[in-house]
Amino acid sequence: MLRKGDGYVGLLVDDIVSIVSHTDEQLLPMPMVNGQAGMLAHCINRRASDREDVTVISTEALFADPYMAHLAKGHHDLYLVGEENTHRTEVRSKPSRETWLIFKLDRLMAVRIEQVVEIVESHGALVRPPGAPSHVCGVVNDGRSLTTVIDLRTLYGMEATESLDNPKILVVQHNGQRYGLTVASVESIVGIEPGAKIRIPSLVANHLDPELRKDLHEVIDSPEHGSVLLLDVLSLMQRLTE
């Protein structure tokens, strides 16, 4: 979902693959394409890391497109004019929705989307520091920063798996320190009403691994995914930093 002012545009996609960060040097201008003038803004060059380049859509051009503007105004006039004041009052009275990224470990879990810097494929070129604890897979140097990769399954006392089809690393950052959290897969991005979060009962929490219990306090019941555990990434990063 893209938003500019009071306007919204939803892009229907096949899948959520990753969240990508880049440097200014990696952002290259996009040549003009017939019928798409201005829509494709830039290209992120990732050849140095042996990854595919990423084409960036210009949201400014998307919202400025005459057809999109005509469509948005038509929908506004058709559906919202009569209910606009009521709708705005309701929006003001409701707490803002939170956006969470759902991933899979041995069960479905989620983290706040703003806590994730990027999502990358599982990285093989790891350097493991001597004396590192068992849950530290190693350190990755991508030329811009160092990322300590954490094996969440080991940290949280879960059984190891033989192989994963499409493992991912969620990169989070705290006090200048970057951590990569290994997960089995990225499932989806969902909006959650704050009131939908449920405190995990003590009876259930007492059966969790002690390390997991430190970072897990709430759960939601998603119509699409069922029960999803909400991971407190700030708590996790503070403990890792210490």
Side-chain angles (χ1 to χ4, degrees), residues 74-95:
H75 287 170
H76 177 273
D77 294 344
L78 181 61
Y79 296 112
L80 297 180
V81 169
E83 303 175 5
E84 193 170 65
N85 293 333
T86 303
H87 174 71
R88 287 179 177 173
T89 302
E90 290 176 350
V91 168
R92 289 193 204 101
S93 64
K94 289 182 180 178

Side-chain angles (χ1 to χ4, degrees), residues 196-207:
K197 295 186 291 186
I198 304 170
R199 192 79 178 175
I200 296 178
S202 299
L203 184 62
V204 176
N206 289 338
H207 287 82

Side-chain angles (χ1 to χ4, degrees), residues 1-17:
M1 296 295 296
L2 308 177
R3 181 184 69 184
K4 182 178 181 183
D6 293 332
Y8 288 83
V9 173
L11 303 181
L12 183 63
V13 300
D14 292 339
D15 196 7
I16 298 168
V17 177

